[in-house]
Amino acid sequence: MKKVALTGDRPTGNLHLGHLAGSLMNRVQLQDSFDQYVMLADVQALTDYFENPQKVKDNILEVAADYLAVGIDPELSTIFIQSQIPQLAELTVYFMNLVTVSRLERNPTVKTEIAQKEFGRSVPTGFLCYPISQAADITAFGTDVVPVGEDQLPMIELANEIVRKFNRLYQTDCLKESEALLGKTTRLVGIDGKAKASKSLNNAIFLNDPPEIIKQKVQAMYTDPDHIRISDPGKVDGNVVFAYLDAFYDNAEEISSLKQQYSNGGLGDTALKSLLNECLQKMLLPIREKRRFLRKKDILEICINGTRKAKSVAAGTLAAVKSALGINFFNEMPMQGENLY
Ligand code: ATP
Ligand code: MG
């Protein structure tokens, strides 16, 4: 039996370089040896985009196209749409009993997001609970490995707590613990120097950005405001251009000597940015080209087939969960005219 990998993305916009470094590169590798599920997390996207469901809908096929463009192969990976699998919502409901509100409020990623979105105490319940829904997604497929960025570690920790609690309380082993597989770059910074490149912060280079936009974004990258003349010594730490070169430039030795030169003085931002621009243009060109030949109809069909398969697997887990809870009534109770007493 192959081990299972699962991960997902919120269809709130196109995928970007953060996804590529944090997770997509690993998914492309994993699909050869794992039974891999890739989820379009529209239910989760609605937890904070509930006033704009059209945006979520519009981005489903966009994100699916990004998957195919980077090399996720529907023959090897099951691409599915979260909202079309009600079993996941049902599992979420059973898991909600096992998690306290204070536990959810302690989640550092959710805490940061609540602050960013300025929710305060008016945070939608669905949003606060999305890590529980993620636990349902992960466990529904018997997941072993979750290829993600660092922001997802608290989610996997919670999922494992739920698994242990469920299995202990209901004397079962129907749920499995999973572990994170972090990408080469666990958290890619935004082009503005903010801690994380993200769709919501609009500070990312997207996989389908046209060449001129990539160039503009690289030019606008935050470097070192005190590095004015080429001869000035510059800061490497917190310098976005170096963070991106570390993530995507394949000659680490060359980067390390450029860092030396930059911090001693004598290397200008323009030369550095032009090196990064060249590197990103080269990397993103084939992805953009592949995307151009994808047809909506084919992408939809891939999602339909993947969702069908994923649904039957999730249904199996849900049945086991309901049996463990003793509420798989119609399958397990005497229904054929037997007297109750
Ligand atoms: P949103 O702003 O809507 O939350 P996002 O850009 O944060 O979108 P998600 O869909 O939340 O993207 O994240 C999907 C996956 O990509 C997760 O595994 C996450 O860890 C990874 N990821 C997203 N952004 C980054 C990043 N900047 N660096 C590394 N990994 C990332
Ligand atoms: Mg996110």
Side-chain angles (χ1 to χ4, degrees):
M1 279 280 275
K2 276 188 183 173
K3 287 199 165 190
V4 177
L6 171 132
T7 190
D9 308 274
R10 294 152 40 93
T12 49
N14 281 103
L15 298 185
H16 50 70
L17 291 181
H19 296 103
L20 191 66
S23 173
L24 291 170
M25 284 169 168
N26 271 340
R27 293 186 224 180
V28 172
Q29 299 263 305
L30 283 172
Q31 65 184 352
D32 289 323
S33 46
F34 280 70
D35 192 5
Q36 178 161 255
Y37 293 85
V38 181
M39 182 178 80
L40 294 153
D42 58 342
V43 175
Q44 190 182 124
L46 285 170
T47 63
D48 55 330
Y49 283 84
F50 54 88
E51 283 172 318
N52 194 358
Q54 188 63 39
K55 180 181 169 101
V56 175
K57 184 181 173 194
D58 289 344
N59 278 299
I60 292 263
L61 292 189
E62 285 294 318
V63 173
D66 288 333
Y67 290 160
L68 301 172
V70 296
I72 292 180
D73 178 351
E75 298 291 324
L76 302 173
S77 295
T78 304
I79 299 173
F80 70 93
I81 303 178
Q82 187 182 24
S83 62
Q84 303 310 295
I85 306 192
Q87 287 82 357
L88 297 175
E90 219 178 315
L91 272 179
T92 304
V93 170
Y94 300 126
F95 289 176
M96 283 172 94
N97 301 328
L98 309 185
V99 184
T100 63
V101 173
S102 71
R103 176 70 184 86
L104 292 172
E105 285 174 341
R106 275 203 309 277
N107 183 313
T109 300
V110 176
K111 247 190 193 169
T112 311
E113 288 170 342
I114 289 176
Q116 264 166 13
K117 294 172 201 289
E118 298 179 356
F119 280 145
R121 292 299 295 161
S122 303
V123 56
T125 314
F127 189 83
L128 188 65
C129 292
Y130 87 71
I132 305 181
S133 133
Q134 258 182 252
D137 307 329
I138 293 170
T139 54
F141 300 94
T143 304
D144 298 287
V145 168
V146 192
V148 280
E150 181 183 74
D151 60 316
Q152 294 302 308
L153 293 177
M155 316 305 175
I156 295 166
E157 190 182 312
L158 180 73
N160 286 337
E161 279 173 32
I162 292 174
V163 167
R164 289 193 291 271
K165 192 162 181 182
F166 188 95
N167 287 350
R168 177 169 47 78
L169 273 176
Y170 307 115
Q171 310 265 308
T172 172
D173 59 0
C174 70
L175 299 180
K176 202 198 266 183
E177 287 190 56
S178 58
E179 58 180 317
L181 177 68
L182 290 176
K184 177 178 166 220
T185 306
T186 57
R187 181 166 41 82
L188 188 72
V189 288
I191 54 174
D192 53 0
K194 287 211 180 109
K196 184 178 167 254
S198 141
K199 296 183 225 109
S200 327
L201 299 173
N202 200 17
N203 61 355
I205 294 179
F206 292 90
L207 301 180
N208 66 342
D209 272 345
E212 333 59 273
I213 300 288
I214 299 173
K215 192 168 169 200
Q216 275 171 27
K217 287 183 177 174
V218 170
Q219 263 158 8
M221 274 180 180
Y222 181 87
T223 54
D224 171 4
D226 296 327
H227 184 237
I228 298 159
R229 279 177 302 259
I230 294 182
S231 54
D232 291 340
K235 265 199 230 107
V236 168
D237 269 357
N239 188 315
V240 177
V241 183
F242 277 116
Y244 278 63
L245 285 169
D246 280 336
F248 302 110
Y249 198 78
D250 51 17
N251 187 338
E253 250 170 62
E254 193 183 329
I255 299 303
S256 121
S257 91
L258 287 175
K259 282 181 181 168
Q260 196 69 52
Q261 209 185 332
Y262 192 84
S263 40
N264 290 341
L267 176 61
D269 282 359
T270 315
L272 202 60
K273 285 181 171 177
S274 117
L275 180 72
L276 176 63
N277 178 52
E278 227 172 87
C279 152
L280 296 181
Q281 298 286 359
K282 202 166 125 202
M283 180 176 77
L284 293 174
L285 174 71
I287 297 177
R288 217 171 33 242
E289 277 304 292
K290 192 157 176 201
R291 205 173 199 285
R292 273 198 324 130
F293 294 99
L294 298 169
R295 294 188 330 176
K296 277 193 174 173
K297 183 175 155 289
D298 298 332
I299 307 175
L300 186 63
E301 199 166 303
I302 287 168
C303 294
I304 292 172
N305 291 335
T307 302
R308 191 176 297 129
K309 176 181 165 197
K311 193 172 181 171
S312 87
V313 177
T317 304
L318 180 66
V321 159
K322 288 175 98 169
S323 288
L325 286 168
I327 55 168
N328 208 353
F329 292 128
F330 298 155
N331 294 326
E332 289 173 356
M333 277 190 131
M335 298 299 291
Q336 302 293 327
E338 287 176 38
N339 289 337
L340 262 187
Y341 300 105

